[in-house]
mmCIF file of all heavy atoms in Angstrom:
data_model
loop_
_atom_site.group_PDB
_atom_site.id
_atom_site.type_symbol
_atom_site.label_atom_id
_atom_site.label_comp_id
_atom_site.label_asym_id
_atom_site.label_seq_id
_atom_site.Cartn_x
_atom_site.Cartn_y
_atom_site.Cartn_z
ATOM 1 N N GLU A 128 -24.761 -15.953 3.959
ATOM 2 C CA GLU A 128 -25.752 -14.888 3.894
ATOM 3 C C GLU A 128 -27.110 -15.525 4.103
ATOM 4 O O GLU A 128 -27.423 -16.561 3.511
ATOM 5 C CB GLU A 128 -25.683 -14.219 2.516
ATOM 6 C CG GLU A 128 -26.571 -13.007 2.415
ATOM 7 C CD GLU A 128 -26.834 -12.631 0.973
ATOM 8 O OE1 GLU A 128 -25.872 -12.622 0.177
ATOM 9 O OE2 GLU A 128 -28.002 -12.366 0.634
ATOM 10 N N ASP A 129 -27.881 -14.921 4.998
ATOM 11 C CA ASP A 129 -29.183 -15.492 5.273
ATOM 12 C C ASP A 129 -30.199 -14.365 5.172
ATOM 13 O O ASP A 129 -30.311 -13.526 6.062
ATOM 14 C CB ASP A 129 -29.162 -16.116 6.680
ATOM 15 C CG ASP A 129 -30.495 -16.759 7.030
ATOM 16 O OD1 ASP A 129 -31.326 -16.907 6.110
ATOM 17 O OD2 ASP A 129 -30.692 -17.096 8.206
ATOM 18 N N ASP A 130 -30.904 -14.319 4.050
ATOM 19 C CA ASP A 130 -31.953 -13.336 3.856
ATOM 20 C C ASP A 130 -31.436 -11.902 4.082
ATOM 21 O O ASP A 130 -32.037 -11.129 4.835
ATOM 22 C CB ASP A 130 -33.109 -13.646 4.816
ATOM 23 C CG ASP A 130 -34.422 -13.108 4.249
ATOM 24 O OD1 ASP A 130 -34.447 -12.818 3.035
ATOM 25 O OD2 ASP A 130 -35.382 -12.967 5.023
ATOM 26 N N GLY A 131 -30.327 -11.592 3.466
ATOM 27 C CA GLY A 131 -29.811 -10.229 3.564
ATOM 28 C C GLY A 131 -28.958 -9.965 4.800
ATOM 29 O O GLY A 131 -28.355 -8.918 4.924
ATOM 30 N N ARG A 132 -28.927 -10.945 5.749
ATOM 31 C CA ARG A 132 -28.079 -10.750 6.919
ATOM 32 C C ARG A 132 -26.869 -11.665 6.834
ATOM 33 O O ARG A 132 -26.924 -12.742 6.221
ATOM 34 C CB ARG A 132 -28.871 -11.045 8.194
ATOM 35 C CG ARG A 132 -29.791 -9.882 8.561
ATOM 36 C CD ARG A 132 -30.789 -10.308 9.590
ATOM 37 N NE ARG A 132 -31.465 -11.534 9.153
ATOM 38 C CZ ARG A 132 -32.302 -12.226 9.920
ATOM 39 N NH1 ARG A 132 -32.526 -11.853 11.146
ATOM 40 N NH2 ARG A 132 -32.888 -13.316 9.447
ATOM 41 N N ILE A 133 -25.766 -11.214 7.468
ATOM 42 C CA ILE A 133 -24.546 -12.013 7.409
ATOM 43 C C ILE A 133 -24.404 -12.793 8.696
ATOM 44 O O ILE A 133 -24.425 -12.219 9.787
ATOM 45 C CB ILE A 133 -23.316 -11.112 7.181
ATOM 46 C CG1 ILE A 133 -23.473 -10.365 5.858
ATOM 47 C CG2 ILE A 133 -22.041 -11.938 7.189
ATOM 48 C CD1 ILE A 133 -22.431 -9.306 5.609
ATOM 49 N N LYS A 134 -24.272 -14.104 8.566
ATOM 50 C CA LYS A 134 -24.173 -14.961 9.746
ATOM 51 C C LYS A 134 -22.839 -15.673 9.748
ATOM 52 O O LYS A 134 -22.379 -16.170 8.719
ATOM 53 C CB LYS A 134 -25.292 -16.001 9.724
ATOM 54 C CG LYS A 134 -26.542 -15.498 10.415
ATOM 55 C CD LYS A 134 -27.479 -16.652 10.638
ATOM 56 C CE LYS A 134 -28.775 -16.158 11.263
ATOM 57 N NZ LYS A 134 -29.823 -17.159 11.123
ATOM 58 N N VAL A 135 -22.236 -15.733 10.944
ATOM 59 C CA VAL A 135 -20.985 -16.474 11.097
ATOM 60 C C VAL A 135 -21.296 -17.715 11.922
ATOM 61 O O VAL A 135 -21.843 -17.618 13.021
ATOM 62 C CB VAL A 135 -19.929 -15.615 11.813
ATOM 63 C CG1 VAL A 135 -18.636 -16.388 11.954
ATOM 64 C CG2 VAL A 135 -19.689 -14.336 11.050
ATOM 65 N N ILE A 136 -20.959 -18.862 11.358
ATOM 66 C CA ILE A 136 -21.180 -20.112 12.081
ATOM 67 C C ILE A 136 -19.843 -20.516 12.710
ATOM 68 O O ILE A 136 -18.840 -20.666 12.006
ATOM 69 C CB ILE A 136 -21.691 -21.208 11.137
ATOM 70 C CG1 ILE A 136 -22.997 -20.729 10.493
ATOM 71 C CG2 ILE A 136 -21.899 -22.517 11.892
ATOM 72 C CD1 ILE A 136 -23.430 -21.525 9.311
ATOM 73 N N THR A 137 -19.844 -20.623 14.038
ATOM 74 C CA THR A 137 -18.603 -20.970 14.727
ATOM 75 C C THR A 137 -18.835 -22.206 15.578
ATOM 76 O O THR A 137 -19.974 -22.665 15.733
ATOM 77 C CB THR A 137 -18.140 -19.829 15.659
ATOM 78 O OG1 THR A 137 -19.010 -19.811 16.799
ATOM 79 C CG2 THR A 137 -18.176 -18.483 14.982
ATOM 80 N N SER A 138 -17.742 -22.710 16.139
ATOM 81 C CA SER A 138 -17.874 -23.896 16.987
ATOM 82 C C SER A 138 -18.608 -23.566 18.274
ATOM 83 O O SER A 138 -19.063 -24.457 18.982
ATOM 84 C CB SER A 138 -16.492 -24.488 17.275
ATOM 85 O OG SER A 138 -15.653 -23.482 17.803
ATOM 86 N N SER A 139 -18.728 -22.264 18.591
ATOM 87 C CA SER A 139 -19.448 -21.916 19.812
ATOM 88 C C SER A 139 -20.809 -21.270 19.516
ATOM 89 O O SER A 139 -21.355 -20.564 20.349
ATOM 90 C CB SER A 139 -18.589 -21.001 20.678
ATOM 91 O OG SER A 139 -18.141 -19.904 19.913
ATOM 92 N N GLY A 140 -21.321 -21.474 18.331
ATOM 93 C CA GLY A 140 -22.659 -20.977 18.026
ATOM 94 C C GLY A 140 -22.693 -20.088 16.792
ATOM 95 O O GLY A 140 -21.669 -19.878 16.129
ATOM 96 N N GLU A 141 -23.889 -19.575 16.488
ATOM 97 C CA GLU A 141 -24.059 -18.716 15.315
ATOM 98 C C GLU A 141 -24.147 -17.263 15.734
ATOM 99 O O GLU A 141 -24.761 -16.938 16.744
ATOM 100 C CB GLU A 141 -25.361 -19.076 14.595
ATOM 101 C CG GLU A 141 -25.224 -20.252 13.672
ATOM 102 C CD GLU A 141 -26.503 -20.505 12.871
ATOM 103 O OE1 GLU A 141 -27.251 -19.529 12.599
ATOM 104 O OE2 GLU A 141 -26.743 -21.660 12.537
ATOM 105 N N PHE A 142 -23.518 -16.402 14.974
ATOM 106 C CA PHE A 142 -23.545 -14.983 15.313
ATOM 107 C C PHE A 142 -23.951 -14.176 14.097
ATOM 108 O O PHE A 142 -23.499 -14.440 12.988
ATOM 109 C CB PHE A 142 -22.157 -14.519 15.784
ATOM 110 C CG PHE A 142 -21.674 -15.221 17.011
ATOM 111 C CD1 PHE A 142 -20.873 -16.347 16.918
ATOM 112 C CD2 PHE A 142 -22.040 -14.774 18.274
ATOM 113 C CE1 PHE A 142 -20.428 -17.004 18.045
ATOM 114 C CE2 PHE A 142 -21.600 -15.429 19.409
ATOM 115 C CZ PHE A 142 -20.792 -16.549 19.302
ATOM 116 N N GLU A 143 -24.798 -13.176 14.341
ATOM 117 C CA GLU A 143 -25.145 -12.284 13.238
ATOM 118 C C GLU A 143 -24.173 -11.110 13.260
ATOM 119 O O GLU A 143 -23.887 -10.555 14.321
ATOM 120 C CB GLU A 143 -26.584 -11.799 13.409
ATOM 121 C CG GLU A 143 -27.078 -11.135 12.154
ATOM 122 C CD GLU A 143 -28.528 -10.681 12.281
ATOM 123 O OE1 GLU A 143 -29.344 -11.456 12.811
ATOM 124 O OE2 GLU A 143 -28.811 -9.550 11.852
ATOM 125 N N MET A 144 -23.663 -10.740 12.110
ATOM 126 C CA MET A 144 -22.694 -9.649 12.069
ATOM 127 C C MET A 144 -23.427 -8.311 12.017
ATOM 128 O O MET A 144 -24.404 -8.163 11.282
ATOM 129 C CB MET A 144 -21.773 -9.792 10.855
ATOM 130 C CG MET A 144 -20.875 -11.014 10.901
ATOM 131 S SD MET A 144 -19.810 -11.057 12.360
ATOM 132 C CE MET A 144 -18.588 -9.813 11.966
ATOM 133 N N PRO A 145 -22.956 -7.320 12.781
ATOM 134 C CA PRO A 145 -23.611 -6.014 12.758
ATOM 135 C C PRO A 145 -23.361 -5.306 11.432
ATOM 136 O O PRO A 145 -22.465 -5.684 10.668
ATOM 137 C CB PRO A 145 -22.914 -5.261 13.897
ATOM 138 C CG PRO A 145 -21.594 -5.926 14.050
ATOM 139 C CD PRO A 145 -21.795 -7.360 13.666
ATOM 140 N N GLU A 146 -24.164 -4.266 11.181
ATOM 141 C CA GLU A 146 -24.063 -3.614 9.882
ATOM 142 C C GLU A 146 -22.710 -2.959 9.669
ATOM 143 O O GLU A 146 -22.187 -2.922 8.562
ATOM 144 C CB GLU A 146 -25.178 -2.580 9.732
ATOM 145 C CG GLU A 146 -25.441 -2.290 8.262
ATOM 146 C CD GLU A 146 -26.416 -1.161 8.074
ATOM 147 O OE1 GLU A 146 -27.572 -1.374 8.434
ATOM 148 O OE2 GLU A 146 -26.003 -0.103 7.563
ATOM 149 N N ASP A 147 -22.106 -2.466 10.774
ATOM 150 C CA ASP A 147 -20.828 -1.769 10.570
ATOM 151 C C ASP A 147 -19.658 -2.727 10.342
ATOM 152 O O ASP A 147 -18.520 -2.301 10.222
ATOM 153 C CB ASP A 147 -20.527 -0.801 11.722
ATOM 154 C CG ASP A 147 -20.351 -1.524 13.038
ATOM 155 O OD1 ASP A 147 -20.410 -2.769 13.046
ATOM 156 O OD2 ASP A 147 -20.165 -0.847 14.065
ATOM 157 N N SER A 148 -19.948 -4.025 10.275
ATOM 158 C CA SER A 148 -18.875 -4.955 9.927
ATOM 159 C C SER A 148 -18.757 -5.095 8.416
ATOM 160 O O SER A 148 -17.851 -5.731 7.918
ATOM 161 C CB SER A 148 -19.138 -6.317 10.557
ATOM 162 O OG SER A 148 -20.317 -6.865 10.024
ATOM 163 N N MET A 149 -19.712 -4.482 7.694
ATOM 164 C CA MET A 149 -19.649 -4.545 6.236
ATOM 165 C C MET A 149 -18.712 -3.475 5.704
ATOM 166 O O MET A 149 -18.448 -2.477 6.383
ATOM 167 C CB MET A 149 -21.041 -4.337 5.646
ATOM 168 C CG MET A 149 -21.907 -5.568 5.739
ATOM 169 S SD MET A 149 -23.248 -5.513 4.561
ATOM 170 C CE MET A 149 -24.428 -4.506 5.387
ATOM 171 N N MET A 150 -18.230 -3.682 4.486
ATOM 172 C CA MET A 150 -17.369 -2.673 3.868
ATOM 173 C C MET A 150 -18.145 -1.368 3.749
ATOM 174 O O MET A 150 -19.365 -1.372 3.563
ATOM 175 C CB MET A 150 -16.899 -3.124 2.486
ATOM 176 C CG MET A 150 -15.665 -4.006 2.527
ATOM 177 S SD MET A 150 -15.215 -4.622 0.901
ATOM 178 C CE MET A 150 -14.182 -3.282 0.287
ATOM 179 N N GLU A 151 -17.404 -0.279 3.868
ATOM 180 C CA GLU A 151 -18.011 1.059 3.832
ATOM 181 C C GLU A 151 -18.917 1.217 2.606
ATOM 182 O O GLU A 151 -20.029 1.727 2.704
ATOM 183 C CB GLU A 151 -16.876 2.089 3.797
ATOM 184 C CG GLU A 151 -17.236 3.460 4.299
ATOM 185 C CD GLU A 151 -17.387 3.526 5.814
ATOM 186 O OE1 GLU A 151 -16.413 3.248 6.552
ATOM 187 O OE2 GLU A 151 -18.493 3.871 6.233
ATOM 188 N N LYS A 152 -18.450 0.759 1.470
ATOM 189 C CA LYS A 152 -19.215 0.969 0.232
ATOM 190 C C LYS A 152 -20.551 0.221 0.270
ATOM 191 O O LYS A 152 -21.518 0.632 -0.351
ATOM 192 C CB LYS A 152 -18.405 0.532 -0.984
ATOM 193 C CG LYS A 152 -18.103 -0.954 -1.019
ATOM 194 C CD LYS A 152 -17.508 -1.384 -2.359
ATOM 195 C CE LYS A 152 -17.155 -2.864 -2.317
ATOM 196 N NZ LYS A 152 -16.573 -3.366 -3.536
ATOM 197 N N CYS A 153 -20.610 -0.897 1.025
ATOM 198 C CA CYS A 153 -21.834 -1.700 1.060
ATOM 199 C C CYS A 153 -22.932 -1.007 1.844
ATOM 200 O O CYS A 153 -24.114 -1.204 1.596
ATOM 201 C CB CYS A 153 -21.562 -3.057 1.690
ATOM 202 S SG CYS A 153 -20.265 -3.962 0.866
ATOM 203 N N ARG A 154 -22.495 -0.202 2.821
ATOM 204 C CA ARG A 154 -23.495 0.404 3.695
ATOM 205 C C ARG A 154 -24.255 1.527 3.013
ATOM 206 O O ARG A 154 -25.296 1.947 3.481
ATOM 207 C CB ARG A 154 -22.816 0.880 4.980
ATOM 208 C CG ARG A 154 -22.384 -0.340 5.826
ATOM 209 C CD ARG A 154 -21.236 -0.054 6.731
ATOM 210 N NE ARG A 154 -21.596 0.889 7.765
ATOM 211 C CZ ARG A 154 -20.711 1.453 8.576
ATOM 212 N NH1 ARG A 154 -19.428 1.164 8.445
ATOM 213 N NH2 ARG A 154 -21.097 2.280 9.489
ATOM 214 N N SER A 155 -23.694 2.041 1.920
ATOM 215 C CA SER A 155 -24.440 3.055 1.165
ATOM 216 C C SER A 155 -24.635 2.584 -0.270
ATOM 217 O O SER A 155 -24.687 3.375 -1.197
ATOM 218 C CB SER A 155 -23.671 4.383 1.195
ATOM 219 O OG SER A 155 -22.352 4.185 0.738
ATOM 220 N N CYS A 156 -24.734 1.261 -0.431
ATOM 221 C CA CYS A 156 -24.755 0.669 -1.777
ATOM 222 C C CYS A 156 -26.074 0.916 -2.492
ATOM 223 O O CYS A 156 -27.143 0.826 -1.894
ATOM 224 C CB CYS A 156 -24.504 -0.824 -1.667
ATOM 225 S SG CYS A 156 -24.617 -1.700 -3.238
ATOM 226 N N SER A 157 -25.978 1.262 -3.786
ATOM 227 C CA SER A 157 -27.206 1.418 -4.570
ATOM 228 C C SER A 157 -27.227 0.434 -5.741
ATOM 229 O O SER A 157 -28.014 0.557 -6.661
ATOM 230 C CB SER A 157 -27.328 2.862 -5.083
ATOM 231 O OG SER A 157 -26.224 3.175 -5.894
ATOM 232 N N VAL A 158 -26.286 -0.523 -5.732
ATOM 233 C CA VAL A 158 -26.231 -1.487 -6.850
ATOM 234 C C VAL A 158 -26.250 -2.920 -6.332
ATOM 235 O O VAL A 158 -25.431 -3.740 -6.716
ATOM 236 C CB VAL A 158 -24.982 -1.297 -7.735
ATOM 237 C CG1 VAL A 158 -25.215 -0.246 -8.768
ATOM 238 C CG2 VAL A 158 -23.745 -0.990 -6.915
ATOM 239 N N HIS A 159 -27.181 -3.234 -5.434
ATOM 240 C CA HIS A 159 -27.238 -4.606 -4.910
ATOM 241 C C HIS A 159 -27.436 -5.625 -6.029
ATOM 242 O O HIS A 159 -26.926 -6.728 -5.970
ATOM 243 C CB HIS A 159 -28.361 -4.724 -3.878
ATOM 244 C CG HIS A 159 -28.069 -3.991 -2.610
ATOM 245 N ND1 HIS A 159 -27.071 -4.401 -1.752
ATOM 246 C CD2 HIS A 159 -28.598 -2.869 -2.070
ATOM 247 C CE1 HIS A 159 -27.020 -3.563 -0.726
ATOM 248 N NE2 HIS A 159 -27.920 -2.612 -0.901
ATOM 249 N N ALA A 160 -28.180 -5.241 -7.039
ATOM 250 C CA ALA A 160 -28.344 -6.129 -8.188
ATOM 251 C C ALA A 160 -27.691 -5.480 -9.403
ATOM 252 O O ALA A 160 -27.833 -4.291 -9.616
ATOM 253 C CB ALA A 160 -29.822 -6.369 -8.457
ATOM 254 N N PRO A 161 -26.908 -6.267 -10.171
ATOM 255 C CA PRO A 161 -26.243 -5.692 -11.353
ATOM 256 C C PRO A 161 -27.266 -5.203 -12.380
ATOM 257 O O PRO A 161 -28.372 -5.732 -12.458
ATOM 258 C CB PRO A 161 -25.439 -6.861 -11.914
ATOM 259 C CG PRO A 161 -25.436 -7.907 -10.872
ATOM 260 C CD PRO A 161 -26.617 -7.695 -10.005
ATOM 261 N N TYR A 162 -26.897 -4.184 -13.128
ATOM 262 C CA TYR A 162 -27.821 -3.604 -14.097
ATOM 263 C C TYR A 162 -27.452 -3.984 -15.521
ATOM 264 O O TYR A 162 -28.115 -3.611 -16.473
ATOM 265 C CB TYR A 162 -27.840 -2.079 -13.951
ATOM 266 C CG TYR A 162 -26.454 -1.475 -13.903
ATOM 267 C CD1 TYR A 162 -25.857 -0.968 -15.046
ATOM 268 C CD2 TYR A 162 -25.746 -1.468 -12.719
ATOM 269 C CE1 TYR A 162 -24.585 -0.457 -15.000
ATOM 270 C CE2 TYR A 162 -24.470 -0.962 -12.671
ATOM 271 C CZ TYR A 162 -23.899 -0.460 -13.814
ATOM 272 O OH TYR A 162 -22.625 0.032 -13.768
#
Side-chain angles (χ1 to χ4, degrees):
Chain A
E128 186 198 315
D129 181 12
D130 206 17
R132 282 166 309 173
I133 300 172
K134 270 193 183 163
V135 181
I136 301 165
T137 73
S138 54
S139 52
E141 277 185 29
F142 299 94
E143 193 178 317
M144 294 302 286
E146 202 187 293
D147 64 3
S148 64
M149 282 201 278
M150 275 176 87
E151 203 74 61
K152 65 170 177 181
C153 304
R154 290 154 67 190
S155 54
C156 176
S157 60
V158 275
H159 290 292
Y162 48 96

